């Protein structure tokens, strides 16, 4: 995201100065409250009702007393009476106060409420002449005095940088943002239930690894003082979850945080969430069947349908989904048939002009580069791309008839990768050979190459059952289900460059 320009910074600084003066006014109001014996920061409040519940059950609640609590987001005074909007965790509702009904003390406090204050209210439910469901307040309690004004009329919250940096304001101002993160939470709950019902066991594995592994990625490095050893934030839990298969836990999953020291984009955040699962005695076809059932079921549960709204037209998640080999996908979209190319040099020459090919790239690496450059973004409908090259799949089992390929697939939809799965390699001799090649690449300067992991190889030597394994990007799945254009829209606190100045929130 581009940094705010000089002119905009000047404007924001002016607003900050105004915000500072308004803060002084609010501090004076706080002193005034204290002078009346009113604490500006109250305690427990028994809010038995909610904004959403009152609106949905108005017929039963009309004329009844309710208690609720929330933040004042708008206020309109009319002499001896006034209205305000109260926002709680479920939505917005109007409240109403009259000097004659609640007494001087209540209305005195109501008049001194500022936008952003958090209050508890008790009163009767009624509908105004204009038809708006409202609570007529007869008791009002200050719970939290807001010292900073919210952005005026919410206009400040159209600035995406301010939204990401001050997510608390984004959540206050934008109901859709609250809905997105509630949907995300419900999605994770659904995925857990889906897997639990199929006999999978949720587990936890380490987040600090002595050896980074399980993915091709550059790790974050830290140091453990007591042990005087270098550790890596995990890039994937794969090698630990496979150890559990060795130990006899035949169906396991983890909803985990991964950390990769890579670039930031609309589809990449260095800290992200994955669902990773392993099933003994299965293969990558079983993983395709599982995810093809799981994602449409999640969409029906969360959205009530398998059609997802997105810019450019709805996305239909209805199964079955097409299954294409990577070779066939590249041929379909470019006309280039890698099946007819037998050497690395032939592949490099044939792909010239289609992808940024390096002199040392192998047949499999060239195939993958052409796929990423010319095919990936065109895969809008959910599509399985199968049989990835061995060169880029060091943890997947070889295809017997085509040992330069592996039993691996990635699921694409809306032009992005969503899931990655293998028929897992359980041959420790083959795995050692591949680790050795990866280690040589790492020694040659490839920071994303795998390292030699003797502990994992030792576990494999005890015997790991044939298995299917799969990782699903939770953040990207939420992007699909909500139509979000950026991964930052579905991560509460995305990583951003540190700014020295404090972004203002003033009116």
């Amino acid at each position: 995201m581009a940094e705010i320009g000089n002119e905009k910074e000047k404007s924001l600084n002016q607003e900050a100065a105004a915000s500072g003066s308004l803060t002084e006014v609010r501090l004076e109001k706080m002193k005034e409250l204290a002078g009346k014996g009113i604490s500006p920061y109250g305690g427990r409040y028994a809010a038995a009702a909610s904004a959403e519940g009152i609106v949905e059950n108005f017929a039963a609640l009309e004329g009844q007393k309710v208690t609720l609590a929330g933040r004042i987001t708008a206020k309109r005074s009319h002499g001896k009476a006034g209205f305000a909007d109260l926002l709680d965790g479920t939505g917005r509702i109007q409240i109403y106060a009259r000097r004659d009904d609640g007494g001087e003390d209540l209305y005195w406090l109501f008049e001194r409420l500022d936008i952003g204050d958090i209050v508890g209210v008790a009163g009767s439910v009624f509908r105004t002449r204009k038809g708006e469901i409202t609570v007529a307040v007869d008791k009002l309690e200050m719970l939290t005095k807001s010292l900073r004004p919210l952005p005026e009329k919410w206009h400040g919250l159209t600035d995406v940088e301010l939204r990401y940096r001050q997510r608390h304001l984004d959540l206050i101002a934008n109901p859709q943002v609250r809905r997105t993160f509630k949907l995300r939470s419900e999605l994770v709950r659904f995925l857990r239930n889906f897997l639990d019902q199929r006999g999978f066991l949720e587990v936890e594995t380490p987040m600090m690894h002595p050896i980074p592994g399980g993915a091709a990625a550059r790790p974050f490095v830290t140091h453990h003082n007591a042990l005087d050893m270098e550790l890596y934030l995990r890039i994937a839990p794969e090698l630990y979850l496979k150890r559990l298969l060795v130990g006899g836990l035949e169906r396991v999953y983890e909803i985990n945080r991964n950390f990769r020291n890579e670039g930031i984009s609309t589809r990449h955040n260095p800290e992200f969430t994955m669902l990773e699962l392993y099933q003994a005695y299965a293969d990558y076809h079983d993983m395709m069947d599982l995810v093809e059932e799981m994602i449409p079921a999640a969409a029906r549960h969360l959205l009530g349908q398998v059609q997802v709204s997105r810019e450019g037209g709805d996305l239909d998640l209805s199964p079955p989904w097409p299954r294409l080999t990577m070779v066939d996908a590249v041929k379909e979209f470019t006309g280039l048939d890698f099946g007819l190319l037998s050497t690395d040099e032939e592949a490099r020459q044939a792909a010239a002009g289609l992808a940024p090919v390096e002199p040392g790239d192998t047949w499999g690496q060239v195939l993958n580069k052409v796929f990423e450059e010319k095919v990936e973004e065109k895969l809008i409908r959910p599509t399985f791309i199968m049989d990835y090259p061995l060169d880029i799949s060091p943890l997947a089992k070889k295809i017997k008839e085509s040992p330069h390929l592996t039993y691996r697939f990635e699921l694409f939809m809306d032009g992005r990768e969503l899931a990655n799965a293998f028929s897992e390699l359980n041959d420790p001799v083959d795995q050692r050979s591949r680790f050795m090649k990866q280690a040589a690449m790492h020694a040659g300067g490839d920071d994303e190459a795998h390292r030699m992991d003797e502990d994992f190889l030792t576990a494999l030597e005890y015997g790991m059952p044939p298995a299917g394994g799969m990782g699903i990007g939770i953040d990207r799945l939420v992007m699909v289900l909500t139509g979000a254009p950026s991964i930052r829209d579905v991560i509460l606190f995305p990583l951003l460059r540190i700014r020295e100045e404090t972004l203002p929130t003033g009116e």
Side-chain angles (χ1 to χ4, degrees):
M1 184 181 302
E3 293 293 325
I4 297 175
N6 291 334
E7 288 301 316
K8 190 171 185 181
E9 285 189 359
K10 182 178 179 181
S11 173
L12 290 177
N13 288 335
Q14 292 171 347
E15 291 184 23
S19 174
S21 63
L22 290 172
T23 297
E24 292 298 323
V25 171
R26 293 185 177 215
L27 285 169
E28 289 300 317
K29 285 188 178 181
M30 197 166 75
K31 293 177 183 177
E32 190 178 9
L33 292 175
K36 284 275 193 176
I38 300 172
S39 172
Y41 299 101
R44 181 181 183 275
Y45 188 84
S50 68
E52 182 180 62
I54 293 171
V55 172
E56 290 183 350
N57 299 286
F58 173 73
L61 292 175
E62 186 176 11
Q64 302 298 310
K65 287 288 186 72
V66 295
T67 58
L68 69 161
R71 187 183 296 274
I72 300 298
T73 59
K75 189 171 166 227
R76 303 165 293 282
S77 294
H78 305 282
K80 295 183 179 182
F83 292 90
D85 292 344
L86 184 143
L87 178 71
D88 68 6
T90 65
R92 185 197 68 84
I93 193 165
Q94 182 171 262
I95 62 173
Y96 167 73
R98 263 195 355 155
R99 189 190 306 272
D100 295 342
D101 294 340
E104 290 291 334
D105 289 343
L106 182 147
Y107 200 71
W108 180 90
L109 178 56
F110 183 86
E111 283 190 314
R112 280 153 184 79
L113 292 180
D114 289 312
I115 305 302
D117 287 350
I118 298 174
V119 298
V121 301
S124 302
V125 178
F126 76 104
R127 192 190 293 274
T128 67
R129 285 178 295 179
K130 292 184 177 181
E132 183 159 3
I133 296 171
T134 304
V135 175
V137 179
D138 55 40
K139 290 184 180 179
L140 177 64
E141 185 173 335
M142 174 66 76
L143 300 179
T144 302
K145 182 64 185 172
S146 173
L147 297 182
R148 284 182 175 267
L150 300 177
E152 183 182 12
K153 299 178 182 178
W154 316 119
H155 289 208
L157 269 298
T158 60
D159 185 304
V160 289
E161 176 140 348
L162 177 59
R163 288 181 51 228
Y164 298 148
R165 288 187 183 277
Q166 300 202 30
R167 184 67 85 183
H168 48 286
L169 295 179
D170 192 23
L171 291 166
I172 293 170
N174 296 317
Q176 180 56 47
V177 174
R178 294 195 297 277
R179 286 194 291 269
T180 291
F181 287 104
K182 288 179 179 179
L183 182 145
R184 179 186 175 118
S185 181
E186 181 62 27
L187 171 65
V188 172
R189 187 179 303 116
F190 173 85
L191 296 176
R192 281 195 167 100
N193 291 336
F194 183 93
L195 293 172
D196 291 345
Q197 291 169 9
R198 287 156 180 77
F200 284 84
L201 177 69
E202 184 173 12
V203 298
E204 294 179 338
T205 62
M207 294 179 68
M208 293 189 296
H209 294 181
I211 300 173
R218 179 181 301 167
F220 288 97
V221 186
T222 187
H223 185 82
H224 192 291
N225 290 334
L227 297 177
D228 191 24
M229 65 183 293
E230 197 171 67
L231 291 170
Y232 303 88
L233 296 182
R234 72 174 169 204
I235 57 175
E238 177 167 345
L239 303 188
Y240 284 89
L241 292 172
K242 287 180 178 178
R243 287 169 166 88
L244 301 182
L245 295 181
V246 174
L249 300 181
E250 295 179 349
R251 296 189 180 202
V252 294
Y253 75 92
E254 183 174 8
I255 296 176
N256 57 81
R257 304 290 284 178
N258 292 331
F259 308 85
R260 298 181 183 177
N261 199 349
E262 58 188 16
I264 297 176
S265 73
T266 57
R267 301 184 183 186
H268 296 87
N269 192 68
E271 178 183 2
F272 60 96
T273 304
M274 291 281 291
L275 163 63
E276 196 146 330
L277 62 91
Y278 292 85
Q279 179 179 341
Y281 312 113
D283 64 9
Y284 78 150
H285 291 291
D286 296 293
M287 297 297 101
M288 287 186 225
D289 294 341
L290 184 67
V291 73
E292 194 174 45
E293 179 186 2
M294 179 191 296
I295 291 179
R300 282 191 292 269
H301 176 77
L302 297 168
L303 309 176
Q305 59 184 19
V306 292
Q307 284 72 39
V308 178
S309 298
R310 56 182 285 278
E311 187 175 347
D314 288 353
L315 178 65
D316 189 352
L317 303 181
S318 302
W321 298 338
R323 302 184 179 191
L324 290 173
T325 67
M326 182 179 278
V327 170
D328 287 343
V330 168
K331 181 179 179 181
E332 177 178 329
F333 284 93
T334 71
L336 178 57
D337 188 351
F338 272 78
L340 302 178
L341 307 175
S342 56
T343 68
D344 297 341
E345 181 59 31
E346 287 180 350
R348 289 193 293 265
Q349 291 182 2
L354 293 176
V357 177
E358 301 293 333
D361 285 346
T362 64
W363 179 93
Q365 290 169 332
V366 175
L367 171 61
N368 185 59
K369 285 185 174 182
V370 174
F371 171 80
E372 291 180 341
E373 193 76 16
K374 297 297 182 182
V375 180
E376 182 173 328
E377 66 180 14
K378 299 175 182 176
L379 299 175
I380 304 303
R381 179 186 178 189
T383 303
F384 293 111
I385 299 298
M386 307 163 52
D387 304 351
Y388 274 55
L390 176 66
D391 301 338
I392 60 169
S393 310
L395 297 168
K397 186 171 287 190
K398 295 176 185 175
I399 295 177
K400 294 178 181 178
E401 299 79 14
S402 304
H404 60 297
L405 300 174
T406 63
Y407 294 111
R408 173 186 175 188
F409 76 79
E410 289 186 330
L411 170 63
F412 292 85
M413 62 178 70
D414 198 18
R416 61 176 71 100
E417 175 212 341
L418 197 67
N420 184 26
F422 314 147
S423 292
E424 300 295 338
L425 177 59
N426 62 340
D427 178 347
V429 176
D430 189 0
Q431 186 66 82
R432 178 177 292 276
S433 174
R434 299 199 208 178
F435 273 170
M436 290 176 66
K437 292 179 181 178
Q438 289 285 311
M441 292 167 59
H442 182 263
D446 186 348
D447 292 334
E448 296 187 353
H450 287 68
R451 322 284 176 89
M452 180 63 70
D453 191 332
E454 290 290 350
D455 285 346
F456 175 66
L457 290 170
T458 298
L460 279 189
E461 288 169 356
Y462 282 102
M464 187 183 87
M470 177 166 57
I472 300 173
I474 297 295
D475 308 302
R476 291 185 180 181
L477 180 54
V478 178
M479 288 177 67
V480 168
L481 294 176
T482 61
S486 171
I487 197 169
R488 294 180 178 185
D489 293 320
V490 301
I491 296 175
L492 277 169
F493 300 103
L495 185 64
L496 300 169
R497 188 184 302 278
I498 294 175
R499 290 171 58 104
E500 293 184 2
E501 70 274 16
T502 300
L503 287 175
T505 59
E507 295 177 337

